[in-house]
Amino acid sequence: MSAPLLQVESLAVRLQTAQGERAVVDDLSFAIDAGETLALVGESGSGKSQTALALMGLSARGARLGGRMLFDGEDLLSASAERRRQLRGPAMAMVFQDPMSSLNPYLSVGLQLAEVLETHRGATRGQALAEAECALDAVGLSAPRTRLAQYPHELSGGMRQRVMIAMAMLARPRLLIADEPTTALDPTVQRQILRLLERLRREQRMALLFITHDLGLVAEHCERVLVMYAGQVVESGATAQLLRRPRHPYTAALLNARPGAGTRPGTPLAALPGQPPDPRQMPPGCRFEPRCALRQADCRDPGLLWQSDAQGSRGWRCRHPLASRG
Amino acid sequence: MSARSSRAIRRALVSAPLALLLLFVLIGPLLTSWSFDAIDFDGAWSAAPSLHDSHWFGTDALGRDLFARTLIGGRISLLVGIVGTLVSLLIGVTYGAIAGMLGGRIDALMMRAVDILYALPFLFLVILLMVLFGRHLLLVFVAIGCVNWLDMARIVRGETLAIKQREYIAAARINGLTTFSILRRHVLPNLLGTVVVYATLTVPQVVLMESFLSFLGLGVQAPATSWGALISDGARDMETAPWALVFPGTFLIVTLLLLNRLGERLRKSLA
Amino acid sequence: MSASTLRRLAQAVPSLFVLLTLTFFMLRVAPGGPFDTEEGITPQTRAQLEAAYDLDQPLSTQYLRYLLRLLRGDLGPSYQYPDRSVNEIIGAGLPVSATLGSLAIVTGLLLGLSLGVAAARRRDGAVDRLVQGFALLGVSIPQFVSAPLLILVFAVGLRWLPAGGWNGHAADWLLPVIALALPHVAIVARLSRNALGDVLQAPYIRTARAKGLPERLVIWRHAMRPTLLPVLSYLGPAAAATLTGSVVVEQIFGLPGVGRYFVQGAFNRDYGLVLGVVLLYGTLIVLFNLIVDLLYARLDPRLRA
């Protein structure tokens, strides 16, 4: 087997805040192969967006990063700022959550698209605009030529997200990071956008890191899943297995908290009680322990380690995992 | 006003350098045996600063002690600054609170008037006022107060409108309180934080304006003096006696600097 | 032209009218007259002079006649300079004031913006603290202090530059322009530093960086327009004030601009001249607010409709 496109080993992200430094991502490891779809799932504040920004090299000023990130064999953390900039676009691109505020309201759609090609391929404005028009067509926007002259406020939310995607795809990235790309959109548009991402991934053999809090979307679109809680991965594995037989109580709780096809109307959803831990006072052992319904006496002990199954394809961070029936 | 912002305001108000400067201006004139308007007939005119003959800042072109003049002038400048701010406060808060409380068409009309007044070249009008109606110190206060209340009125009106939306105002209305007593008991106390901050920012503006008018010869009149008047005198003789410009100029700059910094800190703590 | 531009224009007319009326009657109500200071003037001559300038007419007649003349663009005669009309005096002084003023405004914009950008790129860094200190100092040094100090240091002390006057040398302009520009530089630096600092937090700036754009483009293409908006709001009225001439700077440097005439005119009860300068300033304010409106719409596509 060849080396993965992206390999992350024990990534740690620490941010400067008014209350001092705080760890938002801790001991995170995963790999993505070319053309693969990986889901990163967790509540808001679990560190999934910070992971994405760290990969892109867009962490906030004063952030301290540890561990290793290898992109196509190149060590990202030791690369210069200029090299990281050159990688953004042709190597990795990102689609953000809120298409309303993620496009520059002061610049025309055409300019915001064209500048990607001008920067990365030295294209002239004319060439770049022509290609931008094709890109808008490819993401399914009608009248692409008219769109080029328009400004973001003249487009609907779904159209803007299509523009965002076209923009991210323009430099033909090998890895696309989509951070909750459909959360701000209504359900019908959500489906269209997801189908579009799926199609583009297949056509361009691009790896997709799909960040979401919605396990339903994961089940439909992703091959493998990482579940994050309080800055750490608590469980990972192939989507089908992980959803059918979660080993970590947190994954199980997430699954119970969402309405499924089998949920009868009127049945209350099992909301997860409590709040994620304060990053300044992380529990020494399992970080989920204070909210866990299945906690036991030794869950607070420090030194909790990552465990994996025999093949190494599934793993969890729990001393008392749920039984793996079958 | 939250506990945090009121604490920040209290902390900033006891700004040490500013307190020192105020103290110096207040008691400094007592330290020298010279009066600010006495001419030293034994000494030289425009004498350089010296520690020996007790003219620490030198003397001006008429042989008067510049140390005493600078500090006495500072008293006037700061007095005008504070009183002028209070005048603009009184007009601005009253106008803004009334417009905000009454709301509707009256509010719209009152704010239209403010808009029109904003477009007027007020500095020109103040100069005109001072030239035409003589140069009484009282008039300086009035003129400056009349200019500076517009900002305050706008801010207070906006705050009043926001406060009016809160639930306890509705409760007070249901309990039958009149508009005036709601204003007095509920709105004005809540305006305090904002008003304190903008008043602090107004003081240096007023000090500056007074100095400007005095520089043009339109502010305080001899024998009384202020920093602006001293700077005007000093600028005339600066080639032979630069200290007559440098001392009052430095005092004015440092005062404005400290006041501006205080105002900015307060604004940040409130934001 | 947008609706807001038209509304601004419509608002400007009453503003100018109030200004004109207020100034006119303030001048007349005030004690003293234009010929009080003339020496050796007989009562007959004085009456003739006043009759020649309509000053013997009732106030309302004078006011109406002034308005009528104004509609033809005539600001009337100057009482102090009998051989020159107010139009001529302003016409002679305005080029001087406007040249100095526009140099000062352009300096303020370019230098202030550069300082603001340098400060905002690394908030709370050494450069930022330096710029903030400079900005605070800049707004705290009045022009009537900075101007004499500049003369003291560069003309009297170092003898590098002339202390004043207007002989057509570029060096004559340098010190007055510095004195005029200093507060603009300080305020523009502060405004743009704060605005750019906020803009750089915006999600669309993160998008621009995620596209791999060089920082130069991120700042000057993506972040500059919203940064310029508050700067423009300040510079509009400031430009009107600076172009009409600074009373203080022109007096200290002995420059033949418009600003000096105003105080002199007021002292001499030169009604026509004072009214003319006030009107010029009022009109420029209206004009520059209008320009700011139009520029706003150019910078922000959401305001074009």
Side-chain angles (χ1 to χ4, degrees), chain A residues 200-226:
Chain A
L200 292 170
R201 181 187 68 81
R202 245 184 297 114
E203 284 171 5
Q204 310 208 1
R205 243 186 83 69
M206 172 185 76
L208 181 64
L209 179 62
F210 187 76
I211 298 176
T212 183
H213 62 269
D214 187 342
L215 284 169
L217 298 178
V218 171
E220 285 175 56
H221 296 276
C222 306
E223 294 150 43
R224 285 193 305 125
V225 191
L226 294 177

PDB file of all heavy atoms in Angstrom, chain A residues 200-226:
ATOM      1  N   LEU A 200     -17.887  15.835  -7.544  1.00  0.00           N
ATOM      2  CA  LEU A 200     -16.593  16.453  -7.832  1.00  0.00           C
ATOM      3  C   LEU A 200     -15.449  15.606  -7.288  1.00  0.00           C
ATOM      4  O   LEU A 200     -14.406  15.462  -7.914  1.00  0.00           O
ATOM      5  CB  LEU A 200     -16.533  17.855  -7.211  1.00  0.00           C
ATOM      6  CG  LEU A 200     -17.465  18.884  -7.831  1.00  0.00           C
ATOM      7  CD1 LEU A 200     -17.499  20.152  -6.988  1.00  0.00           C
ATOM      8  CD2 LEU A 200     -17.015  19.211  -9.257  1.00  0.00           C
ATOM      9  N   ARG A 201     -15.663  15.036  -6.104  1.00  0.00           N
ATOM     10  CA  ARG A 201     -14.626  14.195  -5.511  1.00  0.00           C
ATOM     11  C   ARG A 201     -14.313  13.019  -6.426  1.00  0.00           C
ATOM     12  O   ARG A 201     -13.165  12.687  -6.686  1.00  0.00           O
ATOM     13  CB  ARG A 201     -15.092  13.690  -4.150  1.00  0.00           C
ATOM     14  CG  ARG A 201     -14.077  12.821  -3.437  1.00  0.00           C
ATOM     15  CD  ARG A 201     -14.645  12.211  -2.189  1.00  0.00           C
ATOM     16  NE  ARG A 201     -15.690  11.227  -2.463  1.00  0.00           N
ATOM     17  CZ  ARG A 201     -15.449   9.959  -2.825  1.00  0.00           C
ATOM     18  NH1 ARG A 201     -14.211   9.552  -2.970  1.00  0.00           N
ATOM     19  NH2 ARG A 201     -16.429   9.130  -3.059  1.00  0.00           N
ATOM     20  N   ARG A 202     -15.373  12.392  -6.928  1.00  0.00           N
ATOM     21  CA  ARG A 202     -15.180  11.222  -7.774  1.00  0.00           C
ATOM     22  C   ARG A 202     -14.483  11.615  -9.076  1.00  0.00           C
ATOM     23  O   ARG A 202     -13.505  10.997  -9.484  1.00  0.00           O
ATOM     24  CB  ARG A 202     -16.535  10.558  -8.093  1.00  0.00           C
ATOM     25  CG  ARG A 202     -16.647   9.154  -7.496  1.00  0.00           C
ATOM     26  CD  ARG A 202     -17.958   8.505  -7.906  1.00  0.00           C
ATOM     27  NE  ARG A 202     -19.135   9.216  -7.418  1.00  0.00           N
ATOM     28  CZ  ARG A 202     -20.023   9.836  -8.196  1.00  0.00           C
ATOM     29  NH1 ARG A 202     -19.874   9.852  -9.494  1.00  0.00           N
ATOM     30  NH2 ARG A 202     -21.073  10.431  -7.664  1.00  0.00           N
ATOM     31  N   GLU A 203     -14.982  12.696  -9.703  1.00  0.00           N
ATOM     32  CA  GLU A 203     -14.433  13.098 -10.994  1.00  0.00           C
ATOM     33  C   GLU A 203     -12.960  13.474 -10.905  1.00  0.00           C
ATOM     34  O   GLU A 203     -12.187  13.210 -11.812  1.00  0.00           O
ATOM     35  CB  GLU A 203     -15.203  14.308 -11.543  1.00  0.00           C
ATOM     36  CG  GLU A 203     -16.565  13.946 -12.107  1.00  0.00           C
ATOM     37  CD  GLU A 203     -17.385  15.179 -12.444  1.00  0.00           C
ATOM     38  OE1 GLU A 203     -16.856  16.307 -12.319  1.00  0.00           O
ATOM     39  OE2 GLU A 203     -18.554  15.015 -12.808  1.00  0.00           O
ATOM     40  N   GLN A 204     -12.578  14.113  -9.802  1.00  0.00           N
ATOM     41  CA  GLN A 204     -11.212  14.625  -9.738  1.00  0.00           C
ATOM     42  C   GLN A 204     -10.307  13.790  -8.835  1.00  0.00           C
ATOM     43  O   GLN A 204      -9.189  14.204  -8.548  1.00  0.00           O
ATOM     44  CB  GLN A 204     -11.234  16.071  -9.243  1.00  0.00           C
ATOM     45  CG  GLN A 204     -12.229  16.904 -10.022  1.00  0.00           C
ATOM     46  CD  GLN A 204     -11.838  18.361 -10.079  1.00  0.00           C
ATOM     47  OE1 GLN A 204     -10.817  18.751  -9.557  1.00  0.00           O
ATOM     48  NE2 GLN A 204     -12.660  19.155 -10.734  1.00  0.00           N
ATOM     49  N   ARG A 205     -10.811  12.648  -8.371  1.00  0.00           N
ATOM     50  CA  ARG A 205     -10.033  11.791  -7.477  1.00  0.00           C
ATOM     51  C   ARG A 205      -9.405  12.582  -6.340  1.00  0.00           C
ATOM     52  O   ARG A 205      -8.208  12.510  -6.049  1.00  0.00           O
ATOM     53  CB  ARG A 205      -8.942  11.035  -8.255  1.00  0.00           C
ATOM     54  CG  ARG A 205      -9.140   9.523  -8.215  1.00  0.00           C
ATOM     55  CD  ARG A 205      -7.987   8.791  -8.851  1.00  0.00           C
ATOM     56  NE  ARG A 205      -6.852   8.612  -7.944  1.00  0.00           N
ATOM     57  CZ  ARG A 205      -6.868   7.822  -6.880  1.00  0.00           C
ATOM     58  NH1 ARG A 205      -7.949   7.120  -6.583  1.00  0.00           N
ATOM     59  NH2 ARG A 205      -5.803   7.697  -6.115  1.00  0.00           N
ATOM     60  N   MET A 206     -10.262  13.359  -5.713  1.00  0.00           N
ATOM     61  CA  MET A 206      -9.808  14.267  -4.675  1.00  0.00           C
ATOM     62  C   MET A 206     -10.192  13.674  -3.324  1.00  0.00           C
ATOM     63  O   MET A 206     -11.228  13.032  -3.192  1.00  0.00           O
ATOM     64  CB  MET A 206     -10.528  15.593  -4.903  1.00  0.00           C
ATOM     65  CG  MET A 206     -10.379  16.641  -3.877  1.00  0.00           C
ATOM     66  SD  MET A 206     -11.457  18.011  -4.338  1.00  0.00           S
ATOM     67  CE  MET A 206     -13.046  17.344  -3.875  1.00  0.00           C
ATOM     68  N   ALA A 207      -9.319  13.821  -2.331  1.00  0.00           N
ATOM     69  CA  ALA A 207      -9.676  13.385  -0.978  1.00  0.00           C
ATOM     70  C   ALA A 207     -10.563  14.444  -0.338  1.00  0.00           C
ATOM     71  O   ALA A 207     -10.415  15.629  -0.617  1.00  0.00           O
ATOM     72  CB  ALA A 207      -8.420  13.187  -0.148  1.00  0.00           C
ATOM     73  N   LEU A 208     -11.504  13.982   0.498  1.00  0.00           N
ATOM     74  CA  LEU A 208     -12.435  14.922   1.116  1.00  0.00           C
ATOM     75  C   LEU A 208     -12.434  14.714   2.619  1.00  0.00           C
ATOM     76  O   LEU A 208     -12.669  13.599   3.100  1.00  0.00           O
ATOM     77  CB  LEU A 208     -13.836  14.696   0.536  1.00  0.00           C
ATOM     78  CG  LEU A 208     -14.958  15.596   1.044  1.00  0.00           C
ATOM     79  CD1 LEU A 208     -14.704  17.042   0.674  1.00  0.00           C
ATOM     80  CD2 LEU A 208     -16.299  15.142   0.468  1.00  0.00           C
ATOM     81  N   LEU A 209     -12.142  15.769   3.347  1.00  0.00           N
ATOM     82  CA  LEU A 209     -12.278  15.729   4.807  1.00  0.00           C
ATOM     83  C   LEU A 209     -13.548  16.490   5.133  1.00  0.00           C
ATOM     84  O   LEU A 209     -13.642  17.702   4.941  1.00  0.00           O
ATOM     85  CB  LEU A 209     -11.066  16.389   5.481  1.00  0.00           C
ATOM     86  CG  LEU A 209     -11.106  16.424   7.003  1.00  0.00           C
ATOM     87  CD1 LEU A 209     -11.139  15.025   7.580  1.00  0.00           C
ATOM     88  CD2 LEU A 209      -9.916  17.186   7.554  1.00  0.00           C
ATOM     89  N   PHE A 210     -14.535  15.736   5.602  1.00  0.00           N
ATOM     90  CA  PHE A 210     -15.871  16.287   5.757  1.00  0.00           C
ATOM     91  C   PHE A 210     -16.142  16.495   7.238  1.00  0.00           C
ATOM     92  O   PHE A 210     -16.199  15.550   8.011  1.00  0.00           O
ATOM     93  CB  PHE A 210     -16.872  15.298   5.140  1.00  0.00           C
ATOM     94  CG  PHE A 210     -18.262  15.809   5.088  1.00  0.00           C
ATOM     95  CD1 PHE A 210     -18.648  16.740   4.139  1.00  0.00           C
ATOM     96  CD2 PHE A 210     -19.215  15.353   5.987  1.00  0.00           C
ATOM     97  CE1 PHE A 210     -19.949  17.209   4.084  1.00  0.00           C
ATOM     98  CE2 PHE A 210     -20.513  15.816   5.942  1.00  0.00           C
ATOM     99  CZ  PHE A 210     -20.877  16.747   4.982  1.00  0.00           C
ATOM    100  N   ILE A 211     -16.276  17.758   7.621  1.00  0.00           N
ATOM    101  CA  ILE A 211     -16.453  18.074   9.036  1.00  0.00           C
ATOM    102  C   ILE A 211     -17.917  18.361   9.304  1.00  0.00           C
ATOM    103  O   ILE A 211     -18.533  19.177   8.603  1.00  0.00           O
ATOM    104  CB  ILE A 211     -15.605  19.299   9.410  1.00  0.00           C
ATOM    105  CG1 ILE A 211     -14.131  18.978   9.190  1.00  0.00           C
ATOM    106  CG2 ILE A 211     -15.856  19.710  10.846  1.00  0.00           C
ATOM    107  CD1 ILE A 211     -13.218  20.139   9.433  1.00  0.00           C
ATOM    108  N   THR A 212     -18.495  17.690  10.291  1.00  0.00           N
ATOM    109  CA  THR A 212     -19.919  17.870  10.529  1.00  0.00           C
ATOM    110  C   THR A 212     -20.264  17.476  11.954  1.00  0.00           C
ATOM    111  O   THR A 212     -19.464  16.854  12.657  1.00  0.00           O
ATOM    112  CB  THR A 212     -20.754  17.032   9.546  1.00  0.00           C
ATOM    113  OG1 THR A 212     -22.134  17.286   9.774  1.00  0.00           O
ATOM    114  CG2 THR A 212     -20.497  15.550   9.737  1.00  0.00           C
ATOM    115  N   HIS A 213     -21.459  17.877  12.385  1.00  0.00           N
ATOM    116  CA  HIS A 213     -21.954  17.360  13.656  1.00  0.00           C
ATOM    117  C   HIS A 213     -23.113  16.397  13.396  1.00  0.00           C
ATOM    118  O   HIS A 213     -23.730  15.890  14.304  1.00  0.00           O
ATOM    119  CB  HIS A 213     -22.387  18.509  14.561  1.00  0.00           C
ATOM    120  CG  HIS A 213     -23.514  19.311  13.975  1.00  0.00           C
ATOM    121  ND1 HIS A 213     -23.292  20.419  13.190  1.00  0.00           N
ATOM    122  CD2 HIS A 213     -24.839  19.124  14.025  1.00  0.00           C
ATOM    123  CE1 HIS A 213     -24.462  20.896  12.794  1.00  0.00           C
ATOM    124  NE2 HIS A 213     -25.417  20.133  13.279  1.00  0.00           N
ATOM    125  N   ASP A 214     -23.397  16.172  12.105  1.00  0.00           N
ATOM    126  CA  ASP A 214     -24.601  15.434  11.717  1.00  0.00           C
ATOM    127  C   ASP A 214     -24.238  14.019  11.287  1.00  0.00           C
ATOM    128  O   ASP A 214     -23.700  13.803  10.200  1.00  0.00           O
ATOM    129  CB  ASP A 214     -25.287  16.194  10.574  1.00  0.00           C
ATOM    130  CG  ASP A 214     -26.639  15.592  10.233  1.00  0.00           C
ATOM    131  OD1 ASP A 214     -26.892  14.434  10.621  1.00  0.00           O
ATOM    132  OD2 ASP A 214     -27.429  16.285   9.569  1.00  0.00           O
ATOM    133  N   LEU A 215     -24.513  13.054  12.162  1.00  0.00           N
ATOM    134  CA  LEU A 215     -24.140  11.672  11.843  1.00  0.00           C
ATOM    135  C   LEU A 215     -24.923  11.123  10.658  1.00  0.00           C
ATOM    136  O   LEU A 215     -24.472  10.219   9.971  1.00  0.00           O
ATOM    137  CB  LEU A 215     -24.354  10.779  13.067  1.00  0.00           C
ATOM    138  CG  LEU A 215     -23.280  10.924  14.144  1.00  0.00           C
ATOM    139  CD1 LEU A 215     -23.706  10.221  15.409  1.00  0.00           C
ATOM    140  CD2 LEU A 215     -21.960  10.371  13.646  1.00  0.00           C
ATOM    141  N   GLY A 216     -26.095  11.685  10.410  1.00  0.00           N
ATOM    142  CA  GLY A 216     -26.897  11.238   9.287  1.00  0.00           C
ATOM    143  C   GLY A 216     -26.171  11.479   7.962  1.00  0.00           C
ATOM    144  O   GLY A 216     -26.132  10.603   7.078  1.00  0.00           O
ATOM    145  N   LEU A 217     -25.582  12.660   7.834  1.00  0.00           N
ATOM    146  CA  LEU A 217     -24.839  12.964   6.616  1.00  0.00           C
ATOM    147  C   LEU A 217     -23.641  12.043   6.480  1.00  0.00           C
ATOM    148  O   LEU A 217     -23.288  11.598   5.389  1.00  0.00           O
ATOM    149  CB  LEU A 217     -24.368  14.413   6.638  1.00  0.00           C
ATOM    150  CG  LEU A 217     -25.457  15.479   6.673  1.00  0.00           C
ATOM    151  CD1 LEU A 217     -24.843  16.865   6.733  1.00  0.00           C
ATOM    152  CD2 LEU A 217     -26.345  15.344   5.450  1.00  0.00           C
ATOM    153  N   VAL A 218     -23.016  11.725   7.606  1.00  0.00           N
ATOM    154  CA  VAL A 218     -21.845  10.860   7.602  1.00  0.00           C
ATOM    155  C   VAL A 218     -22.197   9.497   7.021  1.00  0.00           C
ATOM    156  O   VAL A 218     -21.492   8.967   6.163  1.00  0.00           O
ATOM    157  CB  VAL A 218     -21.305  10.711   9.042  1.00  0.00           C
ATOM    158  CG1 VAL A 218     -20.216   9.645   9.098  1.00  0.00           C
ATOM    159  CG2 VAL A 218     -20.782  12.038   9.548  1.00  0.00           C
ATOM    160  N   ALA A 219     -23.308   8.949   7.500  1.00  0.00           N
ATOM    161  CA  ALA A 219     -23.711   7.613   7.074  1.00  0.00           C
ATOM    162  C   ALA A 219     -23.850   7.549   5.564  1.00  0.00           C
ATOM    163  O   ALA A 219     -23.486   6.559   4.929  1.00  0.00           O
ATOM    164  CB  ALA A 219     -25.025   7.244   7.749  1.00  0.00           C
ATOM    165  N   GLU A 220     -24.353   8.649   4.973  1.00  0.00           N
ATOM    166  CA  GLU A 220     -24.608   8.603   3.534  1.00  0.00           C
ATOM    167  C   GLU A 220     -23.364   8.848   2.700  1.00  0.00           C
ATOM    168  O   GLU A 220     -23.264   8.360   1.582  1.00  0.00           O
ATOM    169  CB  GLU A 220     -25.649   9.666   3.165  1.00  0.00           C
ATOM    170  CG  GLU A 220     -27.055   9.300   3.565  1.00  0.00           C
ATOM    171  CD  GLU A 220     -28.002  10.451   3.279  1.00  0.00           C
ATOM    172  OE1 GLU A 220     -28.046  10.892   2.115  1.00  0.00           O
ATOM    173  OE2 GLU A 220     -28.658  10.920   4.231  1.00  0.00           O
ATOM    174  N   HIS A 221     -22.436   9.625   3.206  1.00  0.00           N
ATOM    175  CA  HIS A 221     -21.408  10.140   2.307  1.00  0.00           C
ATOM    176  C   HIS A 221     -19.974   9.725   2.601  1.00  0.00           C
ATOM    177  O   HIS A 221     -19.118   9.944   1.769  1.00  0.00           O
ATOM    178  CB  HIS A 221     -21.470  11.666   2.281  1.00  0.00           C
ATOM    179  CG  HIS A 221     -22.756  12.187   1.716  1.00  0.00           C
ATOM    180  ND1 HIS A 221     -22.969  12.325   0.380  1.00  0.00           N
ATOM    181  CD2 HIS A 221     -23.913  12.542   2.328  1.00  0.00           C
ATOM    182  CE1 HIS A 221     -24.191  12.770   0.176  1.00  0.00           C
ATOM    183  NE2 HIS A 221     -24.785  12.907   1.336  1.00  0.00           N
ATOM    184  N   CYS A 222     -19.704   9.186   3.781  1.00  0.00           N
ATOM    185  CA  CYS A 222     -18.296   9.010   4.135  1.00  0.00           C
ATOM    186  C   CYS A 222     -17.938   7.554   4.358  1.00  0.00           C
ATOM    187  O   CYS A 222     -18.740   6.765   4.844  1.00  0.00           O
ATOM    188  CB  CYS A 222     -17.980   9.802   5.387  1.00  0.00           C
ATOM    189  SG  CYS A 222     -18.436  11.518   5.210  1.00  0.00           S
ATOM    190  N   GLU A 223     -16.689   7.229   4.012  1.00  0.00           N
ATOM    191  CA  GLU A 223     -16.241   5.854   4.189  1.00  0.00           C
ATOM    192  C   GLU A 223     -15.795   5.600   5.622  1.00  0.00           C
ATOM    193  O   GLU A 223     -16.068   4.566   6.196  1.00  0.00           O
ATOM    194  CB  GLU A 223     -15.083   5.571   3.224  1.00  0.00           C
ATOM    195  CG  GLU A 223     -15.520   5.620   1.761  1.00  0.00           C
ATOM    196  CD  GLU A 223     -14.393   6.077   0.847  1.00  0.00           C
ATOM    197  OE1 GLU A 223     -13.259   5.603   1.041  1.00  0.00           O
ATOM    198  OE2 GLU A 223     -14.644   6.920  -0.041  1.00  0.00           O
ATOM    199  N   ARG A 224     -15.048   6.552   6.168  1.00  0.00           N
ATOM    200  CA  ARG A 224     -14.563   6.376   7.530  1.00  0.00           C
ATOM    201  C   ARG A 224     -14.923   7.591   8.373  1.00  0.00           C
ATOM    202  O   ARG A 224     -15.104   8.688   7.858  1.00  0.00           O
ATOM    203  CB  ARG A 224     -13.039   6.188   7.522  1.00  0.00           C
ATOM    204  CG  ARG A 224     -12.632   4.799   7.029  1.00  0.00           C
ATOM    205  CD  ARG A 224     -11.166   4.521   7.329  1.00  0.00           C
ATOM    206  NE  ARG A 224     -10.302   5.552   6.788  1.00  0.00           N
ATOM    207  CZ  ARG A 224      -9.429   6.236   7.521  1.00  0.00           C
ATOM    208  NH1 ARG A 224      -9.304   6.005   8.812  1.00  0.00           N
ATOM    209  NH2 ARG A 224      -8.665   7.150   6.964  1.00  0.00           N
ATOM    210  N   VAL A 225     -14.956   7.397   9.691  1.00  0.00           N
ATOM    211  CA  VAL A 225     -15.363   8.460  10.610  1.00  0.00           C
ATOM    212  C   VAL A 225     -14.364   8.594  11.756  1.00  0.00           C
ATOM    213  O   VAL A 225     -13.862   7.581  12.255  1.00  0.00           O
ATOM    214  CB  VAL A 225     -16.741   8.163  11.258  1.00  0.00           C
ATOM    215  CG1 VAL A 225     -17.254   9.391  11.986  1.00  0.00           C
ATOM    216  CG2 VAL A 225     -17.725   7.673  10.246  1.00  0.00           C
ATOM    217  N   LEU A 226     -14.102   9.851  12.138  1.00  0.00           N
ATOM    218  CA  LEU A 226     -13.423  10.126  13.399  1.00  0.00           C
ATOM    219  C   LEU A 226     -14.414  10.881  14.269  1.00  0.00           C
ATOM    220  O   LEU A 226     -14.987  11.876  13.822  1.00  0.00           O
ATOM    221  CB  LEU A 226     -12.214  11.037  13.197  1.00  0.00           C
ATOM    222  CG  LEU A 226     -10.996  10.580  12.418  1.00  0.00           C
ATOM    223  CD1 LEU A 226     -10.021  11.739  12.355  1.00  0.00           C
ATOM    224  CD2 LEU A 226     -10.363   9.392  13.089  1.00  0.00           C
TER     225      LEU A 226
END
